[in-house]
Amino acid sequence: MTQLLKVQNFVVTSDGFGAGVGQSLEHPFGNADPGQLMSWAGATASWPNRTDPGGTRGLDDYFTRDFKNNIGAEIMGANKFSPFRGPWENYDWQGWWGDEPPFHTPVFVMTHHLRPSFSLSDTTFHFTDADPASVLEEAKKAAEGKDVRLGGGGTTIREFLAADLVDTLHIVVAPVEIGTGVRFWNSPDDLNDRFHHEAIPSPSGVTHHLFWKQ
């Protein structure tokens, strides 16, 4: 069975940015408001952090629920794991996700500053400075036949797109403008030369863009 490299539920502003500027410990998305970017998912019945009954069903809920389907490993860039730049001063920082990270798989963090692997619950973080193709090969082995999620951020996804390694993408365009930040694309049509593309508007106000390799 073919193992896919998939981008899932990656949110982009309507002016094309995947994150803002000025990332810090208190502001993982910089000047972008994650509450605004992810409100479509947070309102669904399947949102994993939901503490009360209810929530919406339908298209947004489907994508929220599908996030973990058949995923055996994740790849992420250094800035999704940590706001710190440069060599590690200590190893106390273990990510933004607390003792129960949402991944539940091996996670491969691409960084120029290596550190030992560690586990939190059923998620193990590995740190690698290998090229995208080599990281993907390692992640596929760890996934044991399941698919691999390419979690972001935008710069990391673009690196894998440039290497022609991505099989499918689900990009969510939120009706939010931030004016500056880490640009993901100029337009959803930027990928149409290599991918089939379908756009599906949601009643929540976001548009789900689905891409699969031609």
Side-chain angles (χ1 to χ4, degrees), residues 50-130:
R50 175 169 294 284
T51 58
D52 58 325
T56 63
R57 293 292 184 180
L59 184 66
D60 293 343
D61 186 68
Y62 168 79
F63 286 116
T64 303
R65 188 172 64 252
D66 190 57
F67 181 72
K68 60 184 179 181
N69 182 40
N70 198 46
I71 296 297
E74 165 137 350
I75 299 169
M76 68 172 64
N79 294 350
K80 181 175 178 179
F81 177 80
S82 167
F84 306 118
R85 306 296 189 264
W88 296 97
E89 296 182 2
N90 60 64
Y91 295 148
D92 293 341
W93 174 257
Q94 295 185 316
W96 275 289
W97 304 283
D99 295 331
E100 292 282 344
F103 308 106
H104 310 293
T105 67
V107 175
F108 295 84
V109 181
M110 298 181 67
T111 175
H112 296 300
H113 305 287
L114 303 181
R115 59 180 284 182
S117 300
F118 66 87
S119 297
L120 293 171
S121 185
D122 57 354
T123 297
T124 299
F125 292 92
H126 305 283
F127 300 84
T128 175
D129 60 356

Side-chain angles (χ1 to χ4, degrees), residues 9-15 17-20 27-44 47 60 172-180 202 204-208:
N9 296 4
F10 185 75
V11 183
V12 175
T13 63
S14 59
D15 51 351
F17 298 102
H27 301 285
F29 287 80
N31 64 313
D33 181 352
Q36 288 184 315
L37 296 177
M38 296 301 300
S39 62
W40 65 276
T44 65
W47 181 243
D60 293 343
V172 186
V173 175
V176 176
E177 293 188 3
I178 59 174
T180 186
S202 168
S204 65
V206 303
T207 300
H208 297 277

